[in-house]
Amino acid sequence: LKINSHGSSGNLTTDNKYVLDEPQLKQLKSELESFVREYFYGAWSPKKDSVDVYITTSWLTWMEQGEFHAPHVHPNSFISGTFYVYSGSNDKIIFDNDRKKVEDILIFEDQTNQYNCYSMAEQTPTGSIKMFPSRILHSVPPKEDTSPRCCLAFNTWLKGTIGSKETATELKL
């Protein structure tokens, strides 16, 4: 797969936004969907057989020293994820805590943690997978070292039934 176009955020990305549909990546897509399902069922715990999640779009990104990925979210997606094909020792992804931006009560924390911080940086070692709700604002700071960073990013959507008839929120996907 060739990375040949500039992204809008200081890095390179593939023109193909369905790379996991390529025949040679069929097994990888199946494995990533297993990770997505584990995350989905663990985090949302839906009623048995009511709803499932699947990968929709997927693309590769490439970063060299000094390149970055500006803060963004993934519209038209439920869960987003990244698989780090290879990554430098100091590479990271930064997640903003949207909860901190809407609170009306200011409580000063004794110790900062993932729930009370304004943002959180996570290392992204080669072979790791990060998944998160697509609405979470995230970014990648400028790459410091000279090793390239290659990441396979993906979005997901739901299939099945969400909501309920009783509350007039039922949606069959």
Coordinates of all heavy atoms in Angstrom, one line a residue, residues 39-81:
Y39 N -13.3 -4.4 23.4 CA -13.4 -3.0 24.0 C -14.9 -2.6 24.1 O -15.3 -2.1 25.1 CB -12.6 -2.0 23.1 CG -12.7 -0.6 23.5 CD1 -12.1 -0.1 24.6 CD2 -13.5 0.3 22.7 CE1 -12.2 1.3 24.9 CE2 -13.6 1.6 23.0 CZ -13.0 2.1 24.1 OH -13.1 3.4 24.5
F40 N -15.6 -2.8 23.0 CA -17.0 -2.4 23.0 C -17.9 -3.1 24.0 O -18.6 -2.4 24.8 CB -17.6 -2.6 21.6 CG -19.1 -2.4 21.5 CD1 -19.7 -1.1 21.7 CD2 -20.0 -3.4 21.2 CE1 -21.0 -0.9 21.6 CE2 -21.3 -3.2 21.1 CZ -21.9 -2.0 21.3
Y41 N -17.8 -4.4 24.1 CA -18.6 -5.1 25.0 C -18.1 -4.9 26.5 O -18.9 -4.9 27.4 CB -18.6 -6.6 24.7 CG -19.4 -6.9 23.5 CD1 -18.8 -7.3 22.3 CD2 -20.8 -6.8 23.5 CE1 -19.6 -7.5 21.1 CE2 -21.5 -7.0 22.4 CZ -20.9 -7.4 21.2 OH -21.7 -7.6 20.1
G42 N -16.8 -4.6 26.7 CA -16.4 -4.3 28.0 C -16.8 -2.9 28.5 O -17.2 -2.7 29.6
A43 N -16.7 -2.0 27.6 CA -17.0 -0.6 28.0 C -18.5 -0.3 28.0 O -19.0 0.4 28.9 CB -16.3 0.4 27.0
W44 N -19.3 -0.8 27.0 CA -20.7 -0.4 26.9 C -21.6 -1.5 27.4 O -22.8 -1.3 27.8 CB -21.1 -0.1 25.5 CG -20.7 1.3 25.1 CD1 -21.5 2.4 25.3 CD2 -19.5 1.8 24.6 NE1 -20.9 3.5 24.9 CE2 -19.6 3.2 24.4 CE3 -18.3 1.2 24.2 CZ2 -18.6 3.9 23.9 CZ3 -17.3 1.9 23.8 CH2 -17.4 3.3 23.6
S45 N -21.2 -2.8 27.5 CA -21.9 -3.9 28.0 C -23.4 -4.0 27.5 O -24.3 -4.0 28.2 CB -21.9 -3.9 29.5 OG -22.4 -5.1 30.1
P46 N -23.5 -4.0 26.2 CA -24.9 -4.1 25.6 C -25.6 -5.4 25.9 O -25.0 -6.4 26.2 CB -24.6 -3.9 24.1 CG -23.3 -4.5 23.9 CD -22.5 -4.2 25.1
K47 N -26.9 -5.3 25.8 CA -27.7 -6.6 26.0 C -27.2 -7.6 24.9 O -27.0 -7.2 23.8 CB -29.2 -6.3 25.8 CG -29.7 -5.4 27.0 CD -31.2 -5.2 26.8 CE -31.7 -4.4 28.0 NZ -33.2 -4.1 27.9
K48 N -27.2 -8.8 25.3 CA -26.8 -9.9 24.5 C -27.5 -9.9 23.1 O -28.7 -9.8 23.1 CB -27.0 -11.2 25.2 CG -26.4 -12.4 24.4 CD -26.5 -13.7 25.3 CE -26.1 -14.9 24.5 NZ -24.7 -15.0 24.2
D49 N -26.7 -10.0 22.1 CA -27.2 -10.0 20.7 C -28.0 -8.8 20.2 O -28.7 -8.9 19.2 CB -28.0 -11.3 20.5 CG -27.2 -12.6 20.7 OD1 -26.0 -12.5 20.4 OD2 -27.7 -13.6 21.2
S50 N -28.0 -7.7 20.9 CA -28.8 -6.6 20.5 C -28.0 -5.7 19.5 O -28.6 -5.1 18.6 CB -29.2 -5.7 21.7 OG -28.1 -5.1 22.3
V51 N -26.7 -5.6 19.6 CA -26.0 -4.7 18.8 C -24.5 -5.2 18.7 O -24.0 -5.9 19.6 CB -26.0 -3.2 19.4 CG1 -25.3 -3.1 20.7 CG2 -25.5 -2.2 18.4
D52 N -23.9 -4.9 17.6 CA -22.5 -5.3 17.3 C -21.8 -4.1 16.7 O -22.4 -3.1 16.4 CB -22.4 -6.5 16.4 CG -21.1 -7.2 16.4 OD1 -20.3 -6.9 17.3 OD2 -20.9 -8.1 15.6
V53 N -20.5 -4.2 16.6 CA -19.7 -3.1 16.1 C -18.8 -3.7 15.0 O -18.3 -4.8 15.1 CB -18.9 -2.4 17.2 CG1 -17.9 -3.4 17.9 CG2 -18.2 -1.2 16.8
Y54 N -18.5 -2.9 14.0 CA -17.6 -3.4 12.9 C -16.8 -2.2 12.4 O -17.1 -1.0 12.5 CB -18.4 -4.0 11.8 CG -19.4 -3.1 11.1 CD1 -19.0 -2.5 9.9 CD2 -20.6 -2.7 11.6 CE1 -19.9 -1.6 9.2 CE2 -21.5 -1.9 11.0 CZ -21.1 -1.3 9.8 OH -21.9 -0.4 9.2
I55 N -15.6 -2.5 11.8 CA -14.8 -1.5 11.2 C -15.3 -1.1 9.8 O -15.7 -1.9 9.0 CB -13.3 -2.1 11.0 CG1 -12.7 -2.3 12.4 CG2 -12.5 -1.1 10.1 CD1 -11.3 -3.0 12.3
T56 N -15.4 0.3 9.7 CA -15.9 0.9 8.4 C -14.7 1.3 7.6 O -14.4 0.8 6.5 CB -16.8 2.0 8.7 OG1 -16.2 3.0 9.6 CG2 -18.1 1.5 9.4
T57 N -14.1 2.4 8.0 CA -13.0 3.0 7.2 C -11.6 2.7 7.9 O -11.6 2.5 9.1 CB -13.1 4.5 7.0 OG1 -13.3 5.1 8.3 CG2 -14.3 4.8 6.2
S58 N -10.6 2.7 7.1 CA -9.2 2.4 7.6 C -8.2 3.0 6.7 O -8.4 3.0 5.4 CB -9.0 0.9 7.8 OG -9.3 0.2 6.6
W59 N -7.1 3.5 7.2 CA -6.1 4.2 6.4 C -4.8 4.1 7.2 O -4.7 3.9 8.4 CB -6.5 5.6 6.1 CG -6.7 6.5 7.3 CD1 -5.8 7.4 7.8 CD2 -7.8 6.5 8.1 NE1 -6.3 8.0 8.9 CE2 -7.6 7.5 9.1 CE3 -9.1 5.9 8.1 CZ2 -8.5 7.8 10.2 CZ3 -10.0 6.2 9.2 CH2 -9.7 7.1 10.1
L60 N -3.7 4.3 6.5 CA -2.4 4.4 7.1 C -1.9 5.9 7.2 O -2.2 6.7 6.3 CB -1.4 3.6 6.2 CG -1.5 2.1 6.3 CD1 -0.7 1.5 5.1 CD2 -1.1 1.6 7.6
T61 N -1.2 6.2 8.2 CA -0.6 7.5 8.3 C 0.9 7.3 8.5 O 1.4 6.2 9.0 CB -1.1 8.3 9.5 OG1 -0.8 7.7 10.7 CG2 -2.6 8.5 9.4
W62 N 1.7 8.2 8.1 CA 3.2 8.2 8.2 C 3.7 9.5 8.7 O 3.3 10.6 8.2 CB 3.7 7.9 6.8 CG 5.2 7.8 6.7 CD1 6.1 8.8 6.6 CD2 5.9 6.6 6.7 NE1 7.3 8.3 6.5 CE2 7.3 7.0 6.6 CE3 5.6 5.2 6.8 CZ2 8.3 6.0 6.6 CZ3 6.7 4.3 6.8 CH2 8.0 4.7 6.7
M63 N 4.6 9.5 9.7 CA 5.2 10.7 10.2 C 6.7 10.6 10.3 O 7.2 9.5 10.6 CB 4.7 10.9 11.7 CG 3.2 11.2 11.8 SD 2.7 11.4 13.5 CE 2.9 13.1 13.6
E64 N 7.3 11.7 9.9 CA 8.8 11.8 10.0 C 9.0 12.8 11.1 O 8.1 13.5 11.6 CB 9.4 12.3 8.7 CG 9.1 11.4 7.6 CD 10.1 10.2 7.5 OE1 11.0 10.1 8.3 OE2 9.8 9.3 6.7
Q65 N 10.3 13.0 11.5 CA 10.7 14.0 12.5 C 10.1 15.3 12.2 O 10.1 15.8 11.1 CB 12.2 14.1 12.6 CG 12.7 14.9 13.7 CD 14.2 14.9 13.8 OE1 14.9 14.7 12.9 NE2 14.7 15.1 15.0
G66 N 9.5 15.9 13.3 CA 8.9 17.3 13.2 C 7.4 17.3 12.7 O 6.8 18.3 12.9
E67 N 6.9 16.2 12.2 CA 5.6 16.2 11.7 C 4.6 15.9 12.9 O 5.1 15.4 14.0 CB 5.4 15.1 10.6 CG 6.1 15.6 9.4 CD 6.0 14.6 8.2 OE1 5.9 13.3 8.5 OE2 6.0 15.0 7.1
F68 N 3.3 16.2 12.8 CA 2.4 16.1 13.9 C 1.0 15.8 13.3 O 0.8 15.7 12.1 CB 2.3 17.4 14.6 CG 1.8 18.5 13.7 CD1 0.5 18.9 13.7 CD2 2.7 19.2 12.8 CE1 0.0 19.9 12.8 CE2 2.3 20.2 12.0 CZ 0.9 20.5 12.0
H69 N 0.1 15.6 14.2 CA -1.3 15.4 13.8 C -2.2 16.4 14.7 O -2.2 16.2 15.9 CB -1.8 14.0 13.9 CG -2.9 13.6 13.0 ND1 -2.8 13.1 11.8 CD2 -4.3 13.8 13.2 CE1 -3.9 12.9 11.2 NE2 -4.9 13.3 12.0
A70 N -2.8 17.4 14.1 CA -3.5 18.4 14.8 C -4.7 17.8 15.6 O -5.2 16.7 15.2 CB -4.0 19.4 13.8
P71 N -5.2 18.5 16.6 CA -6.4 17.9 17.4 C -7.6 17.8 16.5 O -7.9 18.6 15.6 CB -6.6 19.1 18.4 CG -5.3 19.8 18.6 CD -4.7 19.7 17.2
H72 N -8.2 16.6 16.6 CA -9.4 16.3 15.8 C -10.2 15.2 16.4 O -9.8 14.6 17.4 CB -8.9 15.8 14.4 CG -8.1 14.5 14.4 ND1 -6.8 14.5 14.9 CD2 -8.5 13.3 14.1 CE1 -6.4 13.2 14.8 NE2 -7.4 12.4 14.3
V73 N -11.4 15.0 15.9 CA -12.3 13.9 16.3 C -12.6 13.2 15.0 O -12.2 13.6 13.9 CB -13.6 14.4 17.0 CG1 -13.3 15.2 18.3 CG2 -14.4 15.4 16.0
H74 N -13.4 12.1 15.1 CA -13.8 11.3 14.0 C -15.3 11.3 13.8 O -15.9 10.4 14.4 CB -13.2 9.8 14.1 CG -11.7 9.7 14.0 ND1 -11.1 8.9 13.2 CD2 -10.8 10.4 14.7 CE1 -9.8 9.0 13.4 NE2 -9.6 9.9 14.3
P75 N -15.8 12.2 13.0 CA -17.3 12.2 12.8 C -17.7 10.9 12.1 O -17.0 10.2 11.5 CB -17.5 13.4 11.9 CG -16.3 14.2 12.0 CD -15.2 13.2 12.3
N76 N -19.0 10.6 12.2 CA -19.6 9.4 11.6 C -18.9 8.1 12.0 O -18.8 7.2 11.2 CB -19.6 9.6 10.0 CG -20.4 10.7 9.6 OD1 -21.4 11.1 10.2 ND2 -20.1 11.3 8.5
S77 N -18.5 8.1 13.2 CA -17.9 6.9 13.8 C -18.2 6.7 15.2 O -18.5 7.7 15.9 CB -16.3 7.0 13.6 OG -15.7 5.9 14.1
F78 N -18.2 5.5 15.7 CA -18.6 5.2 17.1 C -17.3 5.1 18.0 O -17.1 5.7 18.9 CB -19.5 4.0 17.2 CG -20.0 3.8 18.6 CD1 -20.9 4.6 19.1 CD2 -19.6 2.7 19.3 CE1 -21.4 4.4 20.4 CE2 -20.0 2.4 20.6 CZ -21.0 3.3 21.1
I79 N -16.5 4.1 17.6 CA -15.2 3.9 18.2 C -14.1 4.1 17.1 O -14.3 3.6 16.0 CB -15.1 2.4 18.8 CG1 -16.1 2.2 19.9 CG2 -13.7 2.1 19.3 CD1 -16.3 0.8 20.3
S80 N -13.0 4.7 17.5 CA -11.9 4.9 16.6 C -10.7 4.1 17.2 O -10.7 3.9 18.4 CB -11.6 6.3 16.3 OG -12.6 6.9 15.6
G81 N -9.8 3.8 16.4 CA -8.6 3.1 16.9 C -7.4 3.3 16.0 O -7.5 3.7 14.9

